[in-house]
Amino acid sequence: MEQAAHLVPLNWYLFLSTFLFCIGVMGVLFRRNAIIILMCIELMLNSVNLLLVAFSAYSGNSDGQVFVFFIMVVAAAEVAVGLALLISIYRNIGSTDIDVLNKLKW
Amino acid sequence: MYTLIYTCCLGLLCLVAEILNLRKLLIPIILGGLAAIFFVNYMDWQNVAPMIIGGMDMSHMIQVDHFTVAFNGLLIAAAALLFSLSADFYKDEQHHLSDYLAILLFILSGAMVLTSFSNLIMLFLGIEIVSISLYIMAGSRKFDIRSNEAGFKYFLMGSFASAILLFGITLIYGSSGSFELAKISSFAAVSGMNSPMFLVGSLLMVAALLFKVAAVPFHFWSPDVYEGSPSLVTTMMATLVKVSFFAAFYRLMSGGLLGIDGYTNDILVIVAAATMIVGNLIALSQENFKRLLAYSGISHAGYMLLAILSLKTDSSSALFFYGAAYVLATIGAFAVAIPVFKATGKETVDAFDGLGRKKPFLASMLTLSMLSLAGIPPLAGFLGKYYIFSEAIKNGYAVLTILAVLASIVGVYYYFKVILAMYTKTGDETEVKPSLLYTIVMLVCVGLSLLLGVWPGGLMGLP
Amino acid sequence: MSQLLFFILSTMTILSALVVVFTHKPMYSVLSLIVCFFTIAGHYILLNAQFLAITHVIVYAGAIMVLFLFTVMLLNLNSDSDVPKSGKLRIAATIAAGMLFVTLLASIKATTLGEFTLPPPSDKGMVEHVGQRLFTDYLLPFEISSILFLSAMIGAVLLAKREKN
Amino acid sequence: MMTILLLFFPLIASLAVLLGGSKLAAKLALGLAVVELAITGYVVSVFQASGPEAFYVFHSWIESPKVSFHLGLDGLSLIMVLLTNFLTPIIILSAFNRNTPHAAGYFSLILLMQFALVGVFTAMDGLLYYIFWELALIPIYFIALRWGGENRVAITLKFFIYTLAGSLLMLFGFIMLYWYNPDQSFDIRELYRIYITDGNQSWLFWMFFLAFAIKIPIVPFHTWQADTYRESPTQGTMLLSGIMLKMGTYSLIRWLLPILPVGVATWGPLAITLCVVGIVYASIIAIKQRNLKNLLAYSSLAHVGLIAAGIFALNIQGLQGSVVQMVAHGVNVVGLFFCADIIFNRTNTNETNELGGIRNLAPQFTTMFMIIVLGSVALPLTNGFIGEFLLLYGVYEYNTWLSVFAGLTIILGAVYMLRMFKKVMLGETGIRVPEFPDLYWNEKLALSMLVIVIIAMGIYPQPIMDMAEPVLQTILNKTVI
Amino acid sequence: MTFLGLMIPLLPLMGFLVNGLLGKFLPKGSTGWIGSLSVLASFVCVLLLFKDLGAAQAISIDVFNWISFGHIDISFGLWIDSLTMIMLMVVTGVGFLIHLYSIGYMHGDHGFTRFFTYLNLFIFFMLLLVMGSNYLMMFIGWEGVGLCSYLLIGFWFKNEAYNDAAQKAFVMNRIGDLGFLMGMFFILFHFGTLDIQAVEGLATGLSADSTLLIGITLLLFVGAIGKSAQLPLYTWLPDAMAGPTPVSALIHAATMVTAGIYMVVRSNVLFAMAPTTLTVILWIGVATSVFAAVIGLKQNDIKKVLAYSTVSQLGLMFAALGLGAFSSGIFHLVTHAFFKALLFLGAGSVIHALHGEQDIRNMGGLKKLIPVTYLTFILAALAISGFPLLSGFFSKDEILAHAFEQDKVVWTILFISSLLTAFYMFRLVFLTFFNNFRGTEETKHHIHESPWTMTLPLIILCVLSVIGGLIGIPAVFHVSHLLDTYLSAVTEPSASLLHHGEKLSHSLEIGLMTLAGLAAIGVILYARRKYITLKAMPEADSAITGLPKLIYHKFYVDEIYESWIVKPVFKMSEWFGTFFDKQVVDRLVNATADVMDSGGKSLRLFQTGNTGFYVFAMVIGMVVLFIIRLLI
């Protein structure tokens, strides 16, 4: 196991995370449904988490792992607040389409 | 050192007070508490010591120094003014009062984290505390579609920016191996320029912070959110929060990324120039007062970026003074605007029509605030602007400063739009009656603006 | 072996992530995101972060995604209500994200991380160690994050509670 | 100490008037302005004996970017302060019997303006000076905005922003100077000493020149002027044209010439050409102006153009001439605008075509008006002549052909002024002049003061020149490179 | 003597102040006497001073230091020498007579007090002009008299045409004044002083006819052209007849217009050292003399005829100066002051009698109705025409003799000019006083001789016109030339500088005098035949055609000035004011604001309100930052 893991270069994690991050970004740009966008943001956060853990593991210092806990905390809080906002909006306009939200402009 | 803790406790106290049915006493309690905290903070100035919790030295998380103390003082003062405004503002929402106030206090504590962090994790947490609380506050008028929209837009973009910030932090961690500002700083000084990952990480962090301070091209949220949010929240965003983000930005750049300023500064120059131009130009054609101030806030962000750019020669005092002047002027303006909005039911500039005739006192307060924002002597805004320009020129950003000078000329036009509305137009005969606290806030803000403009005294060159 | 695992997990991660983005039905998105999170948990185990992997599954799959699921169902979202963006915007979005990816990679490509090697498994990823750090070095952020939670909690209640207008 | 009293008394007076209420405002303001004038008179009387050293005030003010509260009264400053404090009571007096609404605010702003102007003329620290410079803009803006004519809003805003634009460039210039100064301060004594490379002087010149050129104004930066003069209430116009323009010319002498001698040497020829072109240009335009205030505005433009030209001639007679003419023009133009106001007050029009025949109805007014007109067309034995003589001689020494061109003002000035006088005062009674009561006591008093000064200065200008001479010589020596 | 010297200008000034400030409190009519007596007192002072002051002596009075800057001091100083003395006597003497006359003439006028106020002020300034010890002092007087001229021409201010004339006079004078001013600058710059005596002393150190001296003298002469109404700046003088007639007599005949002559003589050393300038002066004088005389032939307004005659005579004086005959110029100045003042006063008396009628076509036969006027007028006309042994005869012949000495062409032209003068003067006399009255019966009924205040000055001036020549009887009669001798101290320095032609032999000189006298008589007789015997009448305006029409319309000089100078300037004013200033200069300023405004308006369109777009923009912004960083 350790021998095998040895063979995974850190670069790959970097690549994977970056790719995942960009998929998340694309999702945010791609979709109109607020919930999906939220999920894409979660995806971005997870790519960060993955990279942090990878860095932490490879450098042998656990700060990265601890940080991930905090990111999870924040993500949870964010989601809670976000979904609450979403519900509140849905009650008012009956939609979760972000393109409908354009009262405020110019 | 413990102002942060005390502020958090004050927030908790708020929630407890609700349970104990002490709603009526909330504001006095908070104001008293803030006064006490301000005093504690003042004592810190004399005796800066590391923060110790449970026998453990926390200075790798929080570093209290003069910079922190100065900015904390400003934040506390701003918060006190804002809380004074909140009593009247939330008169019709008594059942949520303690929630709102608690959240506002949490924002203050988050902002205090931002002024004192010495670890990226604290930066991140500080930003999130402030941001998440603000998402809530922005959307807190839940039957108002505009408030919903503001809250949600802010939330979506803010989370997105948080993700970017995190990615940047991660890359920095990956290359430097630490979240501690001191270690990052030494890494940046030694090998920062040779580590592409570090540079990209810094750039992503800078981008995220530029989003938080609403600099072009990451500014899009701010006009919409300012306009849609309840006025008091807008005031808070424009003052306390903005200044704390700038403090964080300054701290990050000076405490961590100073070694690679050759890399970041070119970017910041472009961003600052674009911010000043875009903010000022768009503000010219705004009709909504809050939106107008949002764009004006964008342009002020451009000026404050000049201070960030010149941090090599320790421009923190310039940033501080500018921030103070800006906070005072903006709160002063909103202290007039909120009662006017309430009375007229409009939030556009023409809500002020004829105020000069109806209420000369209110009009003069707003006028002085606007003049201070426009940077006209002898108000504090002028000295702030002067100070920042001076620092920028000292660091060789002469051309950018000329641009800033020209941009601020444009700025005068839209500030005067408000003044002109008050003095040259005739409005309907709605009675505007600001409460006593509002009047006091106005007087304090404008008085301090004048005083600082004439006698900056120790406040100049403070941190 | 480890590389193979990495590849399998990574492929699943990416595919499920893409499904999240491209599927039309919100419900599918949620489900595939859960899959994605599980694969990431697999990565964590690969990286010797066992405690984190558990927590990840519990928090993300167990709490956050359930929250999403609830919301999707509560709001009765289905594919009909999900209007896709116009073609042009989709292309623009793809290009923008692609460009971000390219520029990010181009900027950090010179970094030589291949030399890093995974240290031998240690207790670093174990609950004892993490807990130890969390309550000593990271005590302050830990406490502060409670403020964040508190704020979010109040906010969520404030916003989502049904009230009379 | 006297300097501080001199500076802050108007500020206190302004507050007192504001608090005193509208009924008393005019009288109170006048009384306080007269007290200020008396203080000035006292200073002048002891100035000869004590010299300028007695009036220096120096306090440190801001530590970190070193700004000091440095005031000084040398001959040049004292002359300008005297002008300000002499004209202010007259300006206030001119507003008597006019039923100004919100009088407390109005007179308070006038006194605030006086405060700022005295500050500009006494400040010896760059930033302090700059603060007063901009401060002066605010009261005049509000005076014009609240008590002005129909189209005031857009016009005054343009005025404000235009002049502010120039000022901000000057601020930039000052900050540059600050950093060029090895000791890093704005103190004028140090700024006079610092070394600035030729290249830097060359572009810094424009930062300052633009600010002053807009304020003075020098063609082609003058387009705010005529409109603003027309739309401002008379007292505002008087303040603007009588004193505020002098801020620009004073600053040229005080700040631009000695600090940036190379810049002046490089761009001076262009500047003086602009000035001279402006003189002729403005004079020609003035001929056909139909609105009295517009005409006076253009005439003022021509006159200050000559003042600026004399300054850029860089010789003692040019500088002396500019100082004398600053005072002379201040007195004359205030008188002229006051006359315009008297006419407007009685006929409700300033269109020259609708006026005429006033001479018959108001002989006293006519005489006063005539003398002021003569002063402004530079008839010998009036103040205008001394100034123009010295200025033209200064320009002559600089360049003969320029002086011939500038000298056209002698001819064109007579053309437009007399044409105006003829249309307004002479001939058959105009359609808007059914009856025209002669001067009221306050008008008579104010105009007689002006007329006395016009003639006295024309006959014996030497005290002013003696007062200014040492300062001007010092400054002149600094411009020699 | 200093006291007397100071009193001379101060007395009229006091008269001015008393009349001007207290006039309305004084009893009606007394103001005229105050004005007149102040001038008389001044005249007495002049006489007392004359008694004390020797011909070669001079007094210098420094009142105070007027302007000093750098190393230059200009004092407020007076200088009295023989030349000044002569001018003082003319100014105060003739001035007093005209004041006296005005008491009658202006009686009952609405602005009686005002008139005397102005008149006293004029005398004050004129005295300063002639007494000034430096050019700047002279310039005070120079412009001051211009002002009074302006005030008095436009005295009846309700009449638009009069106001225009006044303004024209002032502006045209100002053109000349600019020249004078520039001349002063030249002097000040090169000599460092404006003191006339000092300048003359310094100038002699320069080489003759140097560019500098030519420049200075030409510029000063430009001033003289304006003030003394020479070509091409003469057109204001005929228009100036709009003023009350005593004004025309005092200012526009006897004193102010001769200031140019005085100035040249005062600076005679400078001019003598610049022969080129003298030539210019000569030819301008000659041209003016004949040009104005020709115009005078066809004028029908009694005052206009006299005005052109004045222009012509001034030209003659300048010709004398151009010839270097400075004292002859002054001599003619003095005699001219007598007879031209008399002519104007006489004309005034006529106009007074006819209640304002000025057109000679409506006069005639007045000699019996106003005999005193008639008699004095005709004697003055004879004097100006050069009737033998009258004052004009001597002074004019002196100039002609000088001309003959130096240039025959000049002599010829001047001779013709003087014949023309004789003709138009007698055309005027005959048409006015002889034959039958051509006005209405009504008017005729009211004609009466003027009161004594008016006739007394006429008689005194008449005596002076007749005997005035005595001060300058030519050397051929073996009597000393009083004036020449008296002025010699002033003109001596220049005389040595000039190279006069061959002195005329006595016989030739007598021959020339005889010729001139006879020719004048001949022309008068011709005029008599034409206008009395043949009863020729000037045509009505519409009937004038051809060359006479050209002359009648003064060669259309005014019209040319109007359309070539005045109109273009006005057009330019209009264009600059309404188009260039507003549409170009101001438009540029406003355009800046507009660009900002439209820039803002288009930029705000990016703020679409669409969150998707915002995020998109953020991403693109980041990409751009990365690309910038990658590229730089």
Side-chain angles (χ1 to χ4, degrees), chain E residues 94-289:
Chain E
V94 177
F96 165 66
L97 292 176
I98 293 171
H99 270 74
L100 189 62
Y101 175 91
S102 304
I103 294 175
Y105 188 83
M106 296 304 288
H107 180 77
D109 192 280
H110 183 69
F112 185 77
T113 305
R114 193 157 55 86
F115 184 80
F116 281 94
T117 314
Y118 292 165
L119 224 48
N120 273 8
L121 185 65
F122 170 80
I123 296 284
F124 167 70
F125 277 124
M126 193 67 207
L127 291 172
L128 275 191
L129 195 163
V130 297
M131 292 171 82
S133 73
N134 57 49
Y135 284 103
L136 203 59
M137 287 297 296
M138 194 190 276
F139 193 71
I140 299 181
W142 192 269
E143 288 243 300
V145 292
L147 165 70
C148 298
S149 162
Y150 165 78
L151 291 172
L152 285 163
I153 295 170
F155 184 76
W156 288 308
F157 54 81
K158 285 200 169 176
N159 187 318
E160 289 292 346
Y162 292 1
N163 292 329
D164 286 339
Q167 196 191 327
K168 184 174 174 183
F170 196 84
V171 171
M172 287 211 134
N173 270 305
R174 271 271 159 130
I175 297 174
D177 292 352
L178 178 57
F180 194 99
L181 200 62
M182 295 306 298
M184 283 201 289
F185 292 158
F186 268 77
I187 294 173
L188 196 54
F189 185 65
H190 293 283
F191 297 123
T193 177
L194 281 178
D195 190 85
I196 298 170
Q197 307 304 320
V199 168
E200 302 216 323
L202 290 167
T204 45
L206 294 170
S207 61
D209 221 11
S210 65
T211 324
L212 173 62
L213 282 172
I214 294 175
I216 290 174
T217 48
L218 275 180
L219 284 169
L220 291 178
F221 180 59
V222 170
I225 288 178
K227 191 104 303 184
S228 296
Q230 296 299 290
L231 278 176
L233 298 179
Y234 69 97
T235 57
W236 66 269
L237 186 57
D239 286 12
M241 296 303 127
T245 311
V247 172
S248 310
L250 179 63
I251 300 181
H252 304 123
T255 53
M256 182 185 91
V257 288
T258 61
I261 319 287
Y262 165 76
M263 188 272 291
V264 174
V265 177
R266 173 52 77 208
S267 337
N268 62 70
V269 176
L270 289 179
F271 281 86
M273 288 191 64
T276 314
T277 312
L278 283 184
T279 316
V280 173
I281 296 178
L282 172 64
W283 284 104
I284 286 185
V286 168
T288 310
S289 167

Side-chain angles (χ1 to χ4, degrees), chain B residues 90-124:
Chain B
Y90 289 122
K91 208 159 58 185
D92 306 332
E93 291 177 88
Q94 285 293 323
H95 51 292
H96 287 316
L97 184 64
S98 62
D99 299 346
Y100 289 144
L101 296 183
I103 292 179
L104 292 179
L105 276 169
F106 292 151
I107 292 177
L108 176 62
S109 59
M112 285 175 160
V113 171
L114 288 175
T115 61
S116 57
F117 71 92
S118 62
N119 191 309
L120 294 185
I121 199 163
M122 292 307 285
L123 170 66
F124 172 63

Side-chain angles (χ1 to χ4, degrees), chain B residues 152-207:
Chain B
F152 197 69
K153 272 182 173 170
Y154 194 18
F155 166 71
L156 266 188
M157 282 183 270
S159 317
F160 186 77
S162 295
I164 289 168
L165 177 80
L166 283 172
F167 199 66
I169 290 177
T170 307
L171 290 180
I172 285 177
Y173 170 68
S175 49
S176 72
S178 175
F179 295 113
E180 279 178 45
L181 221 47
K183 289 184 184 158
I184 292 171
S185 179
S186 49
F187 176 81
V190 177
S191 51
M193 290 304 281
N194 302 323
S195 167
M197 201 155 82
F198 186 77
L199 294 179
V200 172
S202 320
L203 196 60
L204 288 172
M205 280 194 80
V206 166

Side-chain angles (χ1 to χ4, degrees), chain B residues 122-164:
Chain B
M122 292 307 285
L123 170 66
F124 172 63
L125 282 176
I127 287 180
E128 288 304 320
I129 292 173
V130 172
S131 300
I132 289 179
S133 309
L134 273 182
Y135 307 151
I136 299 162
M137 292 312 293
S140 61
R141 286 256 152 90
K142 49 185 173 173
F143 301 107
D144 179 358
I145 297 175
R146 300 164 77 83
S147 175
N148 293 157
E149 183 177 338
F152 197 69
K153 272 182 173 170
Y154 194 18
F155 166 71
L156 266 188
M157 282 183 270
S159 317
F160 186 77
S162 295
I164 289 168

Side-chain angles (χ1 to χ4, degrees), chain A residues 106, chain B residues 213-216 219-229 234-235 237-239 242 275-276 278-280 282-284 286-302 326 330 334 347 370 373 414-415, chain E residues 607:
Chain A
W106 297 324
Chain B
V213 300
V216 176
H219 67 286
F220 287 100
W221 61 273
S222 109
D224 292 6
V225 173
Y226 277 38
E227 186 185 342
S229 304
T234 308
T235 319
M237 282 187 228
T239 56
K242 189 158 217 149
T275 307
M276 291 183 294
V278 170
N280 277 314
I282 303 187
L284 284 180
Q286 293 305 320
E287 294 302 327
N288 184 297
F289 181 72
K290 281 153 76 180
R291 213 173 170 78
L292 178 87
L293 280 193
Y295 283 109
S296 118
I298 292 173
S299 66
H300 282 284
Y326 175 67
T330 311
F334 271 105
E347 294 191 343
M370 287 288 142
L373 281 176
Y414 55 80
Y415 293 122
Chain E
Q607 192 82 25

Side-chain angles (χ1 to χ4, degrees), chain D residues 54-321:
Chain D
F55 298 101
Y56 275 107
V57 174
F58 191 94
H59 295 290
S60 59
W61 180 29
I62 302 173
E63 289 298 330
S64 159
K66 210 167 105 202
V67 186
S68 50
F69 188 79
H70 181 184
L71 300 177
L73 265 182
D74 55 12
L76 180 60
S77 294
L78 188 55
I79 291 170
M80 302 313 294
V81 169
L82 185 60
L83 174 71
T84 309
N85 291 346
F86 169 71
L87 288 180
T88 308
I90 289 181
I91 288 169
I92 293 170
L93 191 58
S94 75
F96 271 54
N97 303 334
R98 289 284 192 273
N99 291 327
T100 317
H102 308 286
Y106 192 64
F107 290 104
S108 160
L109 283 173
I110 290 178
L111 288 167
L112 186 62
M113 182 86 189
Q114 185 186 20
F115 163 67
L117 289 164
V118 172
V120 167
F121 294 136
T122 51
M124 294 290 156
D125 179 279
L127 199 74
L128 186 66
Y129 155 81
Y130 178 82
I131 287 174
F132 282 123
W133 168 281
E134 280 209 357
L135 181 62
L137 202 52
I138 296 171
I140 190 68
Y141 173 73
F142 281 101
I143 288 174
L145 182 66
R146 290 213 63 185
W147 291 273
E150 262 169 61
N151 307 317
R152 64 191 188 278
V153 177
I155 283 167
T156 50
L157 188 60
K158 178 175 167 181
F159 154 66
F160 190 88
I161 290 180
Y162 201 171
T163 45
L164 190 72
S167 323
L168 281 171
L169 290 178
M170 177 166 75
L171 174 64
F172 178 82
F174 267 122
I175 298 174
M176 291 304 295
L177 289 180
Y178 179 85
W179 293 115
Y180 285 142
N181 180 0
D183 295 334
Q184 279 158 19
S185 87
F186 290 107
D187 197 291
I188 196 166
R189 291 170 297 189
E190 291 181 23
L191 293 185
Y192 274 13
R193 278 201 299 268
I194 58 175
Y195 168 78
I196 307 166
T197 60
D198 293 3
N200 284 337
Q201 291 210 18
S202 181
W203 66 267
L204 269 178
F205 172 86
W206 285 99
M207 297 289 140
F208 286 89
F209 178 71
L210 278 177
F212 303 148
I214 292 170
K215 186 78 87 183
I216 289 175
I218 291 172
V219 174
F221 306 105
H222 65 283
T223 48
W224 61 268
Q225 191 197 29
D227 290 344
T228 311
Y229 281 14
R230 194 184 59 243
E231 294 300 330
S232 299
T234 306
Q235 284 70 34
T237 316
M238 290 174 175
L239 285 168
L240 266 172
S241 57
I243 317 174
M244 207 167 157
L245 303 192
K246 301 336 175 261
M247 281 165 54
T249 43
Y250 163 84
S251 306
L252 283 179
I253 300 177
R254 171 76 74 203
W255 298 97
L256 186 61
L257 297 193
I259 295 179
L260 300 171
V262 181
V264 172
T266 315
W267 295 110
L270 179 62
I272 200 171
T273 313
L274 276 182
C275 297
V276 171
V277 168
I279 297 169
V280 178
Y281 177 76
S283 303
I284 288 180
I285 290 183
I287 296 174
K288 274 290 195 174
Q289 289 299 316
R290 290 183 186 82
N291 184 296
L292 185 52
K293 278 184 141 188
N294 265 357
L295 188 146
L296 295 178
Y298 279 107
S299 93
S300 171
L301 183 57
H303 282 116
V304 291
L306 186 57
I307 296 177
I311 292 170
F312 280 109
L314 296 183
N315 47 39
I316 187 67
Q317 56 271 34
L319 289 179
Q320 281 284 22

Side-chain angles (χ1 to χ4, degrees), chain B residues 20-36:
Chain B
L20 300 177
N21 250 332
L22 292 173
R23 209 178 268 160
K24 290 228 150 46
L25 288 175
L26 261 180
I27 301 282
I29 289 173
I30 290 174
L31 288 179
L34 285 176

